[in-house]
């Protein structure tokens, strides 16, 4: 388990936080009444009857607790957690006192996107030695009830001896990407034979990072323009590379290993093989977070607009970063979050971490200036816009980018099986009109030179990228 959360129970006042239970009040009251009645009535049998209550209460209270229980949450070390992966965590209760805890009631909340289907106790001995050894204990185990309610939502009861700890181990499945909380968790303890009870010790939740599952994605090598000096894409500029561009006459500065001896002997003049330089490209993935549609069903269910956007972004970034290109991320919304362009595996891990905080932010104003404002996009960058095209401002943004000479590809993230409203009246007619209006808007974008393609995993952007690269290499008419 990774680093536990520091318990919130304070130890400045050792005796604070403990209160007598109704059982203690009843025992003292009953013993007192029997003693008083026995003395007043001169009945020895009443005094003998009161003796067990008085002696039992005194024996139970001979050693009182001086510290509150410690509660912490820890997560198992299992590497990065991806959608559909197994979740393993534990809610622990430690007993730093010199008395046993006769009864411990533990309860925790768990995110609905973490389906906990098994929970059970394991004991850690000698927590004060700094070296606990966990041993399984046959305790309260529960099975899932069809996903309607997590087993972690119900209280668990156990006992904790002095100087030990008990772990409530939680095992389940991560259903959706994001930062999902385990907790807040709390525990109450009864000791001294149930005569004293502690106040509830509650700690803050621990958030489990669940990364989006990367959908299989591949794309052609076609890029509108390559900007860097190294990479996997063949540019139109001559230079050191592996793509043959032709044969030309030897010039000062050419390397001897480039001499084509067959052509040189035939032409009686030195000729060298000319190559095209290999260059990397910059890919900007723009996420439209102005609107959400559809209902997320997790990793095995239906995908909402946000689900498709995040998973497609992870797949596109993984593909181009694996090829050595530079990838940056932008949010089209009021927050205008951005991730600087970079390459390599470190950038891919940063992309996954950045995607965990993607949220839909509705805004009444135009966020174009906030997103693109003073920091303009590179003129050589390929801009992949993931948008459901539910807001007219998104279409206007795409048109502006196209008019500004950017190489833009719009990826439609609206679910294909989006259900029409079931309300009576004009709802279905309005839905059909909205669909027609959206198709017209997509047609207008294509007329402006913005290709719009629906996301379908591997091969989604192949034809579009070929068209964009062909347009980039086409000669300009009239110097424009």
């Amino acid at each position: 388990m990774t680093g536990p959360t520091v318990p919130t129970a304070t130890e400045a006042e050792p005796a604070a936080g403990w209160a007598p239970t109704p059982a203690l009040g009843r025992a003292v009251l009953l013993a007192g009444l029997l003693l008083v009645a026995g003395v007043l009535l001169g009945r020895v049998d009443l005094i003998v009857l009161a003796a067990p209550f008085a002696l039992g209460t005194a024996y139970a209270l001979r050693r009182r607790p001086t510290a509150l229980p410690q509660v912490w949450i820890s997560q198992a070390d299992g590497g990065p957690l991806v959608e559909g992966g197994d979740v393993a965590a534990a809610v622990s209760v430690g007993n730093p006192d010199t008395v046993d805890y006769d009864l411990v009631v533990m309860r925790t909340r768990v995110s609905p996107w973490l389906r906990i289907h098994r929970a059970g106790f394991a004991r850690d001995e000698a927590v004060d030695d700094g070296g606990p050894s966990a041993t399984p204990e046959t305790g309260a185990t529960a099975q899932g009830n069809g996903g309607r309610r997590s087993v972690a939502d119900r209280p668990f009861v156990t006992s904790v001896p002095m100087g030990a700890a008990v772990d409530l181990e939680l095992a389940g499945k991560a259903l959706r990407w994001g930062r999902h909380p385990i907790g807040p968790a709390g525990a109450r303890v009864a000791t001294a034979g149930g005569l004293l009870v502690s106040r509830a010790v509650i700690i803050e939740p621990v958030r489990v990072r669940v990364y989006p599952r990367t959908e299989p994605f591949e794309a052609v090598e076609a890029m509108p323009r390559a900007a860097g000096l190294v990479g996997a894409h063949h540019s139109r500029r001559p230079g050191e590379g592996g793509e043959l561009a032709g044969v030309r006459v030897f010039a000062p500065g050419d390397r001897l290993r480039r001499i084509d001896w067959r052509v040189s002997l035939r032409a009686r003049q030195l000729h060298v093989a000319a190559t095209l330089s290999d260059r990397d490209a910059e890919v900007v993935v723009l996420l439209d977070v102005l609107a959400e549609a559809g209902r997320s069903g997790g990793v095995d269910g239906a995908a909402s607009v946000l689900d498709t956007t995040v998973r497609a972004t992870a797949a596109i970034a993984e593909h181009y970063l694996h090829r050595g290109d530079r990838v940056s991320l932008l949010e089209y919304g009021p927050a205008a979050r951005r991730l600087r362009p970079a390459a390599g595996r470190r950038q891919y891990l940063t992309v996954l971490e950045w995607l965990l905080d993607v949220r839909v932010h509705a805004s009444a104003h135009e966020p174009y200036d906030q997103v693109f404002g003073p920091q303009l996009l590179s003129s050589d960058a390929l801009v992949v816009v993931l948008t459901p095209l539910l807001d007219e401002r998104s279409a206007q943004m795409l048109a502006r980018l196209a008019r500004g000479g950017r190489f833009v590809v719009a990826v439609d993230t609206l679910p294909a099986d989006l259900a029409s409203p079931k309300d009576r009246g004009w709802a279905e007619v309005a839905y059909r009109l909205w669909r027609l209006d959206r198709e017209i808007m997509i047609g207008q974008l294509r007329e402006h030179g913005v290709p719009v393609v629906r996301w379908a995993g591997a091969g989604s952007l192949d034809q579009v990228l070929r068209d964009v690269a062909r347009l980039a290499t086409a000669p300009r008419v009239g110097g424009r």
Side-chain angles (χ1 to χ4, degrees), residues 13-27:
E13 300 178 2
W18 293 89
T21 63
L24 177 59
R26 288 193 297 267

Side-chain angles (χ1 to χ4, degrees), residues 345-380:
R345 177 168 177 78
R346 183 176 180 180
Q347 177 71 355
Y348 176 62
L349 297 177
T350 306
V351 165
L352 294 180
E353 194 73 22
W354 190 89
L355 289 175
L356 296 182
D357 298 320
V358 174
R359 298 289 183 273
V360 173
H361 300 283
S363 176
H365 63 279
E366 171 61 56
Y368 186 88
D369 295 334
Q370 287 181 275
V371 177
F372 303 103
Q375 186 175 359
L376 299 178
L377 296 175
S378 171
S379 59
D380 296 326

Side-chain angles (χ1 to χ4, degrees), residues 8-9 17 68-72 91-94 101 103-108 156 158 160 166 184-190 197-203:
T8 59
L68 288 172
Q70 297 178 345
V71 183
W72 64 89
V91 181
S92 306
V93 175
Y101 290 160
L103 185 70
V104 178
V105 181
M106 303 168 54
R107 191 165 189 174
T108 181
F156 290 83
T158 186
V160 183
V166 169
R188 296 194 70 179
V189 173
V197 64
S198 71
R199 65 172 175 83
V201 178
I202 301 176
I203 62 169

Side-chain angles (χ1 to χ4, degrees), residues 247 256 258-265 269-273:
V247 180
L256 296 179
R258 292 286 186 182
I259 296 177
D260 191 328
W261 293 106
R262 292 184 178 180
V263 178
S264 299
L265 291 174
Q269 186 179 8
L270 287 178
H271 284 70
V272 294

Side-chain angles (χ1 to χ4, degrees), residues 221-238 240 276-283 320 323-326 378-383 407 465 468-470 472-473:
E221 295 185 8
M223 276 288 173
R225 288 175 187 168
L229 296 177
V230 293
H233 302 287
H234 303 303
S235 72
R236 293 176 298 167
R237 300 181 182 181
E240 295 294 332
L276 297 177
S277 61
D278 294 333
R279 295 174 172 252
D280 64 347
E282 180 178 346
V283 180
Y320 286 110
R323 298 183 60 84
D325 297 324
R326 288 167 290 118
S378 171
S379 59
D380 296 326
L382 171 65
V383 184
F407 302 104
L465 290 178
V468 173
R470 190 181 302 112
T473 57

